[in-house]
Amino acid sequence: MTCYEELKARGLIAQVTNEEEISKMINEGKAVFYIGFDPTADSLHVGHFMALCLMKRLQMAGNRPIALIGGGTGYIGDPSGRTDMRNMMTPETIQHNCDCFKKQMERFIEFGEGKAMMVNNADWLLKLNYIELLRDVGACFSVNNMLRAKCYEQRMEKGLSFLEFNYMIMQSYDFYYLFQHYGCNMQFGGDDQWSNMLGGTELIRRKLGKDAHAMTITLLLNSEGKKMGKTAKGAVWLDPNKTSPYEFYQYWRNVGDGDVLRCLRMLTFLPMEEIDAMDQWEGSQLNRAKEILAFELTKLVHGEEEAEKAQQAAKALFVGGGDMSNVPTTVLSQDELADGAIGILDLMVRCGLAPSKKEARRLVEQGGVTVNEEKVTDPNTGYTAAQLSGEGLMVRKGKKVFHKVQL
């Protein structure tokens, strides 16, 4: 099976502009491709995870990735899939987020001479002269076509700012610049980026002629990845300080029965034959498939040692007899107690099990909280220093989220 055929078999490819030529370039290791990452937070999340896995696969096949950090487009904000305008970030925040992204990407992609490159579009976008850009690039874009683009669709009813309207031009210019300066001949992105990506391909052809080789391919990256990245408490981050390896493991361990094989195909590097054999699995065997998925992805992001610890912690909680030392734990100081005790609502917020006391109260009142396997029904319940000492308390939210608390 060729590299391109495997991408298709794994369910990654949604649309392409020229499948014959694209597949040939990828299979021969001649693709110099980029994927963009806007620095909207100080950590990548699992919505980016599929893109990182794709870059790793293609690099292993001899192709050259360019990780484009949107230090410039981050000043505008991508309107794709948005119903409101993104918050404006300061230059300092954008740079900090870019630095964080680079450290995380290095776990997936091999950077260096002749290998993957990391570039920041702030290096060229922030230097552009507005009048020159209008004359040089603006003339290549039809406003009528832009208004029909899917990336603006959700914003037209509530109002699309002129700032965001420029995002397509900026993203298109990125491909044009990378093509000229880095030999980038292919761009990848999610299916919600299709209009922006076609704009880049068309810009190259109009500026450099029809013979310019610039290919576009979209995957089920962003739309599927964003779905994967959402949980009840927000995004699942790749930064262990935001989402612990255990929480990351549990997220994948708890995917739906109908999603587990799809995730195994798209995100792991297990052989397709091994995954296809799981098609016949059902019942308790599906739980085994989820354990394999969770372990493989945790190992990829956090390393094998952390994956082993997370797996042992899960077994300790759900099966018994495992190592409890790896269960997520919060250690309270005496100063955090009021009159020698702490209320359940404060405790849940402190442990990160609820974003606010209001949400914690809702969970308690709906019967979704237990402490040491006893359901908490009164939101005014408190726990003393004596109860928190020694082994402490085991707090459970819902059926599957555990957290140990000690003084």
Side-chain angles (χ1 to χ4, degrees):
M1 185 183 295
T2 66
C3 179
Y4 185 79
E5 287 173 342
E6 183 173 353
L7 294 181
K8 292 185 72 174
R10 289 182 178 273
L12 289 167
I13 295 179
Q15 299 180 81
V16 297
T17 53
N18 186 330
E19 185 168 51
E20 182 179 354
E21 190 164 358
I22 285 173
S23 62
K24 185 175 185 292
M25 291 174 67
I26 288 175
N27 292 336
E28 294 179 356
K30 295 180 180 178
V32 180
F33 67 96
Y34 95 89
I35 298 179
F37 301 82
D38 271 356
T40 53
D42 59 0
S43 172
L44 297 166
H45 54 71
V46 299
H48 302 110
F49 192 46
M50 200 181 299
L52 295 172
C53 291
L54 171 73
M55 296 176 87
K56 184 179 179 72
R57 287 185 208 282
L58 290 172
Q59 187 176 45
M60 290 168 63
N63 299 285
R64 192 176 190 191
I66 299 175
L68 175 64
I69 304 297
T73 42
Y75 279 76
I76 298 174
D78 185 1
S80 301
R82 302 279 300 187
T83 57
D84 56 358
M85 186 171 167
R86 294 181 186 274
N87 293 329
M88 300 283 281
M89 296 184 293
T90 65
E92 293 76 18
T93 299
I94 291 171
Q95 185 58 51
H96 171 72
N97 293 350
C98 289
D99 294 340
C100 293
F101 278 21
K102 185 174 188 297
K103 291 178 182 177
Q104 292 177 342
M105 287 181 182
E106 287 172 343
R107 291 192 63 91
F108 293 82
I109 310 160
E110 190 175 359
F111 293 95
E113 187 68 30
K115 299 175 183 176
M117 294 177 280
M118 178 172 288
V119 295
N120 188 330
N121 63 16
D123 293 342
W124 57 86
L125 292 182
L126 299 188
K127 297 175 183 176
L128 290 174
N129 177 283
Y130 186 60
I131 298 299
E132 290 178 2
L133 178 69
L134 287 177
R135 288 176 60 86
D136 187 39
V137 177
C140 297
F141 286 82
S142 161
V143 171
N144 290 9
N145 290 340
M146 291 175 72
L147 290 174
R148 286 193 291 267
K150 183 180 178 182
C151 58
Y152 297 136
E153 189 176 308
Q154 289 184 279
R155 298 303 310 280
M156 293 304 292
E157 292 183 10
K158 290 194 174 183
L160 176 71
S161 71
F162 184 70
L163 174 72
E164 295 169 290
F165 188 60
N166 280 269
Y167 190 89
M168 181 187 291
I169 296 176
M170 296 294 97
Q171 183 171 330
S172 299
Y173 189 86
D174 282 343
F175 193 21
Y176 175 57
Y177 186 93
L178 292 172
F179 179 88
Q180 290 185 294
H181 294 83
Y182 294 93
C184 181
N185 52 29
M186 198 175 296
Q187 58 179 333
F188 288 73
D191 56 355
D192 60 347
Q193 294 291 311
W194 186 241
S195 300
N196 291 342
M197 295 166 68
L198 288 179
T201 300
E202 183 62 22
L203 177 60
I204 290 173
R205 288 175 178 164
R206 293 194 63 173
K207 295 294 295 180
L208 303 177
K210 293 182 179 180
D211 294 333
H213 287 282
M215 299 298 161
T216 302
I217 184 169
T218 74
L219 310 182
L220 297 175
L221 293 183
N222 294 344
S223 59
E224 293 296 329
K226 286 171 183 175
K227 292 174 189 174
M228 291 178 185
K230 299 298 182 182
T231 67
K233 65 175 184 177
V236 178
W237 304 101
L238 304 192
D239 183 345
N241 295 315
K242 288 177 170 287
T243 299
S244 72
Y246 170 80
E247 291 171 315
F248 189 84
Y249 177 95
Q250 282 300 109
Y251 173 77
W252 296 108
R253 173 61 182 81
N254 294 328
V255 298
D257 290 354
D259 292 328
V260 61
L261 289 179
R262 182 170 60 90
C263 291
L264 280 164
R265 290 189 177 100
M266 287 183 166
L267 302 176
T268 75
F269 289 80
L270 296 174
M272 283 295 292
E273 297 80 8
E274 185 177 335
I275 299 171
D276 289 342
M278 298 180 193
D279 266 328
Q280 308 304 317
W281 290 12
E282 52 187 36
S284 61
Q285 287 180 308
L286 276 179
N287 288 329
R288 174 60 185 147
K290 293 177 185 181
E291 290 174 358
I292 293 171
L293 173 68
F295 182 85
E296 290 295 324
L297 298 189
T298 307
K299 179 174 71 172
L300 190 60
V301 174
H302 298 295
E304 189 164 3
E305 183 179 353
E306 291 298 330
E308 292 280 3
K309 289 179 180 178
Q311 190 171 67
Q312 287 299 315
K315 288 181 178 178
L317 289 168
F318 295 103
V319 181
D323 183 1
M324 295 288 287
S325 64
N326 295 312
V327 174
T329 301
T330 295
V331 179
L332 303 176
S333 67
Q334 193 73 42
D335 294 341
E336 293 180 87
L337 305 184
D339 297 324
I342 186 171
I344 184 62
L345 305 186
D346 288 317
L347 190 64
M348 292 187 66
V349 173
R350 175 68 175 80
C351 295
L353 295 174
S356 65
K357 290 176 71 172
K358 180 180 179 180
E359 176 62 16
R361 177 182 291 273
R362 184 188 68 79
L363 289 167
V364 169
E365 291 175 345
Q366 291 182 353
V369 179
T370 63
V371 175
N372 286 356
E373 293 307 312
E374 291 187 9
K375 184 170 289 188
V376 181
T377 57
D378 184 357
N380 295 313
T381 301
Y383 299 93
T384 65
Q387 291 173 297
L388 292 162
S389 299
E391 290 296 317
L393 303 172
M394 183 65 72
V395 184
R396 176 162 58 90
K397 181 178 75 171
K399 294 181 178 180
K400 299 176 180 178
V401 180
F402 289 83
H403 202 99
K404 188 162 65 173
V405 191
Q406 294 175 309
L407 186 63

